[in-house]
């Protein structure tokens, strides 16, 4: 029976063995680094802009009771309906019911990781609805029956040949090696589906308390279409998505685009206040927002890691993470990959079962440096590790660290142990010792010197 | 039994009993809530009208949107006719507005007022959508359209090209200016949709290679009068 | 100034030359150097593994060991970061927190000490070769050292400093991570070392002996003839 940990170890082994695929990922991200740096240089002070973005989220999250209530009140004043979901099952049921009541048949979706988190598509399909993902990357992943590989770039692991084959198989189109032509195939295929859909489901990047609007960020225009053409619009959002003021978006929208995709601004940033209003020519007649807890309040209750709720899902931490770049997104086995996923998942799915993700980091801190809202990502991995140990320690770990602590508390014993270690190292290298033989599988150790530093120092002083 | 709303709100209030430290900030300048979030640190939108036009022009070029500067509405009308001819448009959709109606007089292709009889199937078949806009943001090159004044939700996204008619005095400096404007203009009631359009539709989903026209307009033209 | 050396446990046992070179440079600059031999390990392996009780005991020992030291200088950005940044964190609420904060303020990484504390960028060293500098993550991101080691290397006569791609990318060591997730650690070493080899340098210099253990260990196994040296070893040469 595989556990999340054993599955992770075997998937990471397979992924790291695939040198060509790792090179492909690095190459795909190469352009991102260049454009991100060009855009960052346009900021008059990127670091202070990060401060402002971090504070906008901090203020909203640390007053979540008020900001959320204000949002809900203002949203309903605009004519929309708010629904509250304590967990995934409740959110799925709310959304199913809206679709049933609307007599829906076809559902079009724009990109929304929160719907992945609650496994919405499976639930809706089980009830007989046709559900189509409209974001190009998500559409491709849906055809492949795979989850997103990266929560912002869902199919970045695929080469154009694979996508061409996929389209030939499912859509009957001729093979092509042109990304443009492949994009146009999806465009042509999806256009009629927007027109025919009864319900559009989206996420929300921000919930603006002050005005009761939701803000959706996207490049392709698929969310615009999803929220324009069907007669019912449902948006699913985590409760932490709320911000206090409309003006906070003046910082958050450009930071999201620059940090996540190296853009000055994402192509479409759209504020939705309600269903179609009197005097407006089109738009849905119903607008529902489903606010999801699903253990977010448990994370909120941890002041040390509460800032993980500041996350605006830009994906910057994945893009710079050497772990992500070497094992890819699938090995994580989570909805949210990369550093933020390794921080969040133990909270959302269980610390003991998912703590290996906190361990699977060299703590290099590239993620924390990249985060536009200053989440202390790599230190939270340390906090998760500590919390896991406080809750449960394996016998091996207890003995190992107990012995280690005992030895380093005794300088003479430490020096003697070191002497024995150095003298026997050639022999130790041949034994199947934990850790040492693992190291030696792919790396050498230097020859042990005759004298330790403390011996040499003593000699040099006399 | 408690409702989901009550349960969640109670969980939140309990969770917030313990205060969290503020983030590790570089400076204390942002630790309050300044009236204009982050304005001094973001990219510059230009202080004067001329500077704003320069910033806007540079941004639109980088975004692969096309800026057409004209002196007056009659020139604008000629520019649209020229576009329609070179792009071989067969049908152009527009919404009722003094400027759009003035513009389409000589366009030379079939025109259709989309907000009079909304028909999404017909709109999908249009080569271009012509709209006005609420404002333009120099800092980011964004064109702001609203569902109440610029032809609804679909007109600016469903046709294959989007043409915007605007006047130079609609160009604002930065996003903060735009949000202030939106709030003042709609203080009693927000339109159901306000969209910041920053260049033509695009995707990088295949090998992170930029392709224009993923689902929305492949081409974006801004005809700027004045 | 009277400098108390803070020698990482694995430098003590495996690469004592790094400690000797650090002492040599400091002495040559006219400082008095001492080594308090009650020191062992800073406790980082346990800290990183979540065993903060073990790390806390190590921190308290270090407070005793370095009591009264004017400045503490260590040739390892990683172990210095443990002392400077994480001791105060694990001793939060402890009666000796103030002591830990005082120690943090008096503790420096080797290159940091030369450039930031002493204001010296040219120690008068000579070294023939082409070097590239590897930014260890703790030095770069916990201590904010980027230009300092490069300033020191640029002043070395005969040495050409080359920049490598992926200079800021982690080498994959990460302490226990390197043996708990060896496949990821090794993949990271491969990416790092390929870039170092491409740089055309014949010496790889770093402020972190632990990174050099990983980089040197991988390069040797792959049969690549590039030397790895600690910053202090380059600066101790010549003059």
């Amino acid at each position: 029976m595989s556990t999340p940990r054993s599955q992770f170890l075997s998937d990471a082994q397979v992924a790291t063995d695939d040198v060509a695929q790792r090179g492909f990922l690095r190459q795909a991200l190469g352009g991102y680094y260049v454009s991100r740096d060009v855009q960052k240089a346009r900021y008059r002070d990127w670091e202070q802009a990060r401060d402002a973005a971090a504070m906008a989220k901090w203020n909203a999250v640390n007053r979540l009771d008020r900001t959320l209530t204000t949002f809900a009140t203002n949203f309903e004043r605009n004519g929309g309906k708010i629904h509250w979901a304590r967990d995934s099952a409740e959110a799925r049921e709310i959304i199913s019911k809206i679709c049933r009541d609307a007599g829906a048949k076809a559902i079009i979706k724009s990109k929304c990781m929160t719907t992945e988190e609650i496994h919405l598509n499976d639930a809706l399909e089980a009830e007989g609805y046709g559900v189509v993902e409209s974001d190009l990357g998500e559409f491709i992943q849906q055809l492949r029956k795979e989850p997103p590989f990266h929560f912002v770039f869902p199919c970045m692991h695929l080469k154009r040949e694979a996508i061409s084959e996929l389209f030939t198989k499912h859509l009957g189109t001729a093979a092509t090696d042109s990304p443009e032509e492949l994009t146009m195939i999806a465009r042509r295929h999806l256009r009629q589906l927007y027109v025919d859909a009864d319900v559009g489901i989206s996420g929300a990047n921000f919930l603006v308390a002050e005005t009761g609007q939701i803000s959706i960020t996207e490049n392709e225009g698929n969310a615009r279409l999803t929220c324009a053409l069907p007669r019912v619009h449902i948006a699913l959002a985590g409760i932490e998505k709320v911000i206090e003021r409309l003006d906070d978006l003046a910082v958050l929208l450009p930071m999201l685009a620059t940090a996540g995709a190296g853009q000055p601004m994402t192509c479409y940033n759209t504020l939705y206040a309600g269903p179609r209003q009197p005097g407006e020519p089109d738009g849905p007649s119903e607008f529902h927002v489903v606010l999801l807890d699903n253990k977010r309040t448990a994370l909120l209750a941890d002041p040390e890691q509460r800032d993980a709720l500041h996350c605006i899902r830009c994906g910057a931490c994945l893009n710079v993470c050497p772990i992500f770049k070497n094992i890819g997104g699938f090995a994580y086995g989570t909805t949210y990959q990369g550093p933020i996923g390794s921080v969040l998942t133990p909270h959302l799915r269980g610390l003991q079962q998912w703590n290996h993700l906190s361990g699977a980091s060299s703590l290099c801190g590239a993620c924390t440096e990249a985060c536009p809202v200053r989440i202390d990502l790599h230190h939270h991995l340390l906090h998760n590790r500590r919390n896991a140990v406080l809750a449960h320690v394996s016998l091996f770990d207890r003995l190992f660290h107990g012995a280690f602590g005992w030895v380093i508390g005794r300088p003479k014993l430490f020096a003697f142990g070191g002497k024995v270690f150095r003298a026997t190292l050639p022999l130790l290298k041949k034994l199947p010792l934990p850790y040492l033989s693992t190291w030696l599988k792919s790396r050498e150790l230097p020859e042990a010197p005759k004298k330790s530093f403390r011996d040499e120092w003593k000699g040099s002083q006399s | 039994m408690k409702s989901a709303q009550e349960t969640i709100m109670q969980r939140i209030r309990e969770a917030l009993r313990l205060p969290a430290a503020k983030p590790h900030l570089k400076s204390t300048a942002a630790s309050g809530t300044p009236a204009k979030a982050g304005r001094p640190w973001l990219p510059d939108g230009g202080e004067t009208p001329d500077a704003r036009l320069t910033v806007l022009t540079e941004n639109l070029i980088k975004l692969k949107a096309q800026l057409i500067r004209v002196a007056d509405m009659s020139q604008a009308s000629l520019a649209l006719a020229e576009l329609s001819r070179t792009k071989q448009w067969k049908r152009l959709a527009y919404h009722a507005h003094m400027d759009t109606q003035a513009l389409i007089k000589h366009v030379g292709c079939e025109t259709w007022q989309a907000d009079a009889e909304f028909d999404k199937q017909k709109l999908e078949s249009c080569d271009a959508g012509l709209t006005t806009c609420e404002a333009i943001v120099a800092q980011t090159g964004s064109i702001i359209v609203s569902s109440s004044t610029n032809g609804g939700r679909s007109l600016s996204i469903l046709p294959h090209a989007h043409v915007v008619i605007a006047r130079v005095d609609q160009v604002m400096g930065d996003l903060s200016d735009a949000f202030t404007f939106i709030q003042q203009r709609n203080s009693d009631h927000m339109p159901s949709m306000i969209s910041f359009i920053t260049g033509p539709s695009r995707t990088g989903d295949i090998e992170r290679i930029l392709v224009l026209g993923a689902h929305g307009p492949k081409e974006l033209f801004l005809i700027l009068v004045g | 100034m009277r400098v108390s050396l803070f020698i990482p446990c694995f430098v003590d046992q495996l690469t004592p030359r790094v400690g000797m070179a650090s002492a040599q440079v400091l002495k040559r600059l006219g400082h008095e150097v001492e080594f308090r031999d009650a020191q062992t390990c800073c406790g980082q392996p346990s800290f990183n593994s979540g065993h903060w009780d073990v790390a806390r005991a190590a921190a308290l020992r270090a407070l005793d060991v370095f009591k009264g030291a004017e400045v503490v200088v260590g040739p390892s950005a990683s172990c210095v970061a443990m002392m400077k940044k994480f001791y105060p964190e694990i001793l939060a609420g402890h009666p000796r927190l103030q002591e830990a904060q005082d120690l943090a303020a008096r503790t420096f990484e080797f290159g940091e000490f030369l450039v930031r504390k002493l204001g010296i960028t040219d120690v008068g060293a000579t070294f023939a070769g082409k070097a590239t500098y590897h930014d260890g993550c703790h030095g770069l991101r916990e201590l904010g050292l980027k230009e300092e080691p490069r300033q020191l290397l640029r002043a070395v006569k005969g040495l050409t400093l080359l920049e490598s791609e992926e200079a800021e990318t982690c080498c994959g060591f990460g302490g226990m991570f390197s043996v708990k997730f060896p496949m990821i650690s090794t993949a990271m070493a491969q990416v790092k070392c390929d870039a170092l080899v491409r740089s055309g340098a014949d010496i790889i210099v770093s402020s972190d002996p632990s990174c050099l253990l990983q980089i040197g260990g991988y390069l040797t196994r792959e049969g690549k003839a590039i030397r790895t040296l600690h910053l202090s070893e380059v600066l101790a040469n010549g003059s």
Side-chain angles (χ1 to χ4, degrees):
Chain A
M1 185 46 200
S2 84
T3 62
R5 182 189 162 82
S6 67
Q7 189 66 45
F8 175 80
L9 288 170
S10 80
D11 289 350
Q13 185 68 58
V14 171
T16 49
D17 283 344
D18 192 343
V19 176
Q21 177 66 15
R22 283 162 50 213
F24 175 71
L25 280 185
R26 275 201 306 283
Q27 190 194 337
L29 284 167
Y32 157 81
Y33 301 130
V34 174
S35 47
R36 177 200 59 188
D37 291 345
V38 167
Q39 294 310 327
K40 273 171 72 172
R42 292 181 65 241
Y43 284 67
R44 283 172 283 186
D45 191 330
W46 172 257
E47 292 303 323
Q48 295 218 47
R50 286 176 77 200
D51 286 353
M55 281 312 299
K57 286 297 295 187
W58 189 90
N59 285 328
V61 167
N62 282 281
R63 300 166 193 156
L64 193 58
D65 48 345
R66 276 172 283 168
T67 38
L68 207 52
T69 307
T70 310
F71 168 75
T73 310
N74 288 336
F75 179 83
E76 293 205 319
R77 189 177 296 144
N78 294 331
K81 173 107 183 69
I82 291 278
H83 306 262
W84 301 80
R86 281 166 282 216
D87 53 31
S88 301
E90 195 165 15
R92 287 193 300 263
E93 178 45 35
I94 290 167
I95 294 170
S96 298
K97 183 169 186 313
I98 297 169
C99 295
R100 274 200 299 277
D101 292 349
K105 287 190 184 67
I107 299 171
I108 193 104
K109 281 186 67 201
S110 66
K111 190 167 169 27
C112 171
M113 287 311 296
T114 319
T115 63
E116 297 282 340
E117 179 186 327
I118 68 166
H119 303 291
L120 180 64
N121 290 9
D122 293 346
L124 291 175
E125 279 163 6
E127 293 191 32
Y129 298 106
V131 184
V132 177
E133 293 286 350
S134 61
D135 171 85
L136 177 60
E138 295 280 349
F139 173 68
I140 289 167
Q141 290 308 93
Q142 189 181 29
L143 290 182
R144 288 175 60 88
K145 298 188 168 52
E146 262 178 4
F149 178 85
H150 175 302
F151 63 71
V152 178
F153 310 141
C155 67
M156 70 172 296
H157 61 304
L158 295 178
K159 293 197 179 69
R160 60 189 80 180
E161 294 78 19
I163 297 168
S164 174
E165 271 173 42
L166 183 77
F167 283 0
T168 303
K169 184 177 156 198
H170 290 274
L171 311 175
T173 50
T176 171
D177 63 358
S178 152
E180 167 141 30
E181 183 46 36
L182 289 167
T183 304
M184 293 311 132
I185 290 170
R187 177 187 173 97
R188 285 192 292 271
H189 176 77
L190 283 162
R191 284 220 138 208
Q192 194 57 40
L193 300 179
Y194 294 111
V195 174
D196 294 341
D198 316 289
V199 173
I201 297 178
S202 76
N205 295 83
F206 303 99
L207 312 168
V208 186
E210 179 184 27
T211 56
Q213 294 165 303
I214 73 165
S215 175
I216 299 180
T217 293
E218 51 143 354
N219 270 313
E220 298 183 357
N222 61 308
R224 283 282 310 270
L225 291 163
T226 299
C227 305
L229 301 177
R231 55 195 157 81
V232 177
H233 174 198
I234 306 169
L236 174 67
I239 51 174
E240 82 285 11
K241 292 282 169 213
V242 70
I243 54 169
E244 293 189 309
R245 306 172 308 164
L246 188 60
D247 193 56
D248 292 335
L249 293 178
V251 174
L252 293 167
L253 296 180
M255 300 281 293
L256 171 63
T258 299
Q263 290 180 271
M265 188 76 165
T266 317
C267 196
Y268 300 100
N269 285 285
T270 310
L271 294 157
Y272 294 97
R276 175 184 178 180
Q277 304 292 302
E280 293 182 354
D282 60 350
S285 53
E286 286 177 38
F287 182 20
H288 303 267
V289 164
V290 181
L291 297 173
L292 177 71
D293 178 354
N294 209 26
K295 302 224 172 117
R296 283 163 177 75
T297 46
L299 183 52
L300 189 73
D302 178 357
E304 191 174 48
Q305 295 194 40
R306 188 176 292 160
D307 68 349
L309 293 169
H310 296 183
C311 178
I312 56 175
R313 302 286 189 271
C314 69
C317 61
L318 280 70
N319 299 345
V320 300
C321 177
I323 313 295
F324 175 83
K325 287 199 279 179
N326 282 300
I327 66 171
F330 293 142
Y332 288 85
T334 57
T335 307
Y336 307 104
Q337 311 80 14
I340 185 66
S342 298
V343 170
L344 290 176
T345 308
H347 290 272
L348 304 180
R349 294 197 192 168
L351 180 59
Q352 293 306 328
Q353 265 203 308
W354 293 90
N355 188 46
H356 59 278
L357 294 181
S358 310
S361 165
S362 61
L363 304 169
C364 80
C367 49
T368 305
E369 186 179 66
C371 178
V373 290
R374 294 201 185 281
I375 301 171
D376 210 359
L377 287 159
H378 72 297
H379 293 145
H380 290 336
L381 297 176
L382 281 167
H383 300 144
N384 278 344
R385 296 181 192 183
R386 177 204 58 201
N387 294 346
V389 166
L390 288 175
H392 172 79
V393 195
S394 71
L395 181 64
F396 176 82
D397 265 13
R398 194 191 303 273
L399 291 173
F400 182 86
H401 288 280
F404 180 71
W406 196 73
V407 172
I408 66 173
R410 288 160 181 76
K412 290 214 173 74
L413 179 65
F414 174 81
F416 176 73
K419 202 167 278 176
V420 173
F421 170 75
R422 279 180 283 118
T424 57
L425 186 57
L427 173 69
L428 295 177
K429 282 182 180 176
K430 297 196 180 92
L431 298 176
L433 291 172
Y435 299 151
L436 183 63
S437 57
T438 310
W439 173 277
L440 289 168
K441 241 178 169 173
S442 56
R443 292 150 290 193
E444 296 293 335
L445 263 189
E447 300 268 325
K450 287 228 159 55
K451 283 182 171 178
S452 66
F453 173 80
R454 60 189 68 228
D455 295 338
E456 276 204 45
W457 180 262
K458 216 175 280 167
S460 72
Q461 296 306 98
S462 53
Chain B
M1 207 181 86
K2 275 211 192 85
S3 71
Q5 178 179 4
E6 284 164 344
T7 310
I8 293 171
M9 289 310 295
Q10 189 187 341
R11 287 177 187 169
I12 291 172
R13 280 189 292 268
E14 273 169 27
L16 289 176
R17 272 190 203 150
L18 288 171
K22 288 200 174 171
H24 304 294
L25 302 179
K26 181 199 173 196
S27 85
T28 49
S31 61
T33 46
K36 296 290 176 199
R39 172 179 270 178
W41 311 305
L42 295 172
D44 193 5
E47 291 297 319
T48 64
D50 280 350
R52 287 198 278 275
L53 275 175
T54 307
V55 174
L56 176 68
T57 306
E58 283 169 11
N59 280 334
L60 290 174
I61 291 168
K62 285 182 201 143
L63 291 164
K64 302 186 195 301
Q66 297 185 46
L67 174 65
I68 303 167
R69 294 283 306 272
V70 294
D72 54 33
M73 284 304 286
S74 70
Q75 272 197 28
S77 160
L78 290 175
L80 182 67
E82 172 69 20
L83 267 182
S84 166
R85 196 165 48 246
T86 53
K87 300 286 176 187
Q88 299 180 315
W89 290 339
K90 292 190 180 63
R91 187 188 283 160
L92 175 139
Y94 67 98
H95 66 94
H97 187 279
M98 197 173 70
D99 286 351
T100 54
Q101 277 150 344
L103 229 60
I104 58 163
K105 273 184 197 148
H106 311 289
V107 70
C109 70
E110 185 194 332
T111 59
W112 173 53
Q113 191 190 322
D115 55 343
E117 33 143 2
F118 182 70
D119 175 346
K120 51 190 176 181
Q121 198 73 60
K122 187 171 176 184
L123 190 62
E124 199 280 323
S125 74
C126 290
D127 299 299
L130 170 66
T131 74
T132 53
C133 71
E134 288 281 283
I136 295 164
V137 184
Q139 179 193 38
T140 55
S142 307
I143 295 165
I144 306 173
V145 297
S146 103
S147 53
S148 63
T149 49
N150 312 115
R153 295 192 186 196
S154 317
L155 182 56
S156 55
I157 192 73
L158 190 52
H160 298 262
H162 181 200
V163 187
V164 181
I165 174 74
R167 291 163 195 272
V168 284
D169 60 11
Q170 287 182 283
V171 179
M172 302 187 166
D174 60 19
L175 288 168
S176 264
D177 290 330
F179 288 122
T180 306
F181 170 77
I182 286 170
Q183 281 182 297
Q184 282 169 355
R185 189 167 155 84
N186 307 290
S187 54
D188 50 339
H189 199 82
M190 284 284 180
S192 75
M193 183 207 82
I194 298 171
S195 192
F196 289 65
I197 299 173
T198 311
S201 158
R202 62 196 57 209
T203 186
D205 273 349
I206 301 174
E207 296 187 12
R208 308 298 317 134
I209 293 166
L210 176 70
V211 176
L212 296 183
H215 297 280
K218 286 181 207 178
E219 294 173 301
L220 175 64
F221 304 95
L222 172 61
I223 303 179
L224 198 57
V225 181
Chain C
M1 212 170 275
R2 189 173 171 79
V3 178
S4 195
L5 283 177
F6 165 37
I7 300 299
C9 52
F10 64 96
V11 168
D12 180 27
Q13 296 302 322
L14 287 174
T15 52
R17 55 192 161 83
V18 172
M20 294 309 284
S22 306
Q24 194 185 328
V25 173
L26 293 167
K27 279 183 192 163
R28 211 167 56 204
L29 292 169
H31 300 283
E32 205 181 323
V33 181
E34 62 167 27
F35 175 74
R36 302 186 178 186
D37 68 0
Q39 62 183 285
T40 55
C41 168
C42 65
Q44 191 173 185
S46 295
F47 172 69
N48 282 354
S49 303
H51 296 261
W52 286 25
D53 52 340
V54 176
R56 211 171 278 124
L60 293 173
R61 277 203 73 247
L63 294 183
D64 294 335
V65 169
F66 292 108
K67 187 167 267 174
E70 189 181 352
V71 286
V72 176
V73 174
S76 158
S78 179
C79 304
V80 166
M82 181 69 206
M83 206 175 255
K84 266 179 106 71
K85 279 200 79 164
F86 298 117
Y87 278 6
E89 181 171 351
I90 57 179
L91 292 176
H94 193 278
R96 297 184 73 183
L97 172 64
Q98 185 59 46
E99 246 182 285
Q101 287 167 336
D102 292 344
L103 177 63
R106 285 180 287 127
T107 302
F108 300 89
E109 183 277 324
F110 173 74
E112 177 190 28
F113 179 70
L114 296 179
V115 179
R116 287 194 187 161
K117 180 75 179 171
L118 301 178
I120 294 171
T121 51
D122 187 350
V123 299
T126 308
F127 205 109
K130 289 179 289 179
T132 190
Y133 183 80
H134 158 68
D135 288 287
C137 301
H138 277 101
L140 181 68
R141 301 199 180 89
E142 302 294 349
L143 303 177
L145 300 169
K146 171 85 185 171
E147 262 311 295
E148 290 80 355
R150 288 176 172 76
Q151 284 175 295
L152 289 162
L153 287 171
R154 273 191 218 106
V156 175
K157 284 174 206 67
L159 192 74
T160 312
L161 184 63
L162 303 168
E163 279 301 326
S164 118
E165 295 163 50
E166 313 267 358
E168 295 189 2
T169 302
C170 178
C171 68
F173 179 68
M176 299 300 286
F177 166 77
S178 67
V179 286
K180 286 187 177 169
F181 299 91
M183 70 302 255
I184 310 176
S185 173
T186 306
M188 289 163 72
Q190 182 228 319
V191 171
K192 182 82 211 183
C193 292
D194 285 355
L196 291 169
V197 169
R198 276 200 307 276
S199 75
D202 42 39
I203 314 155
I204 295 156
V205 184
S206 180
S207 297
D208 241 312
S210 53
C211 301
L212 294 175
L213 207 60
Q214 165 92 342
I215 292 170
Y218 182 82
L219 286 171
T220 311
R221 177 61 59 90
E222 296 296 306
K224 301 273 165 42
I226 305 183
R227 288 174 75 191
T228 53
L229 288 174
H230 187 265
L231 177 66
S232 63
E233 295 178 273
V234 176
L235 300 187
N237 201 60
S239 80

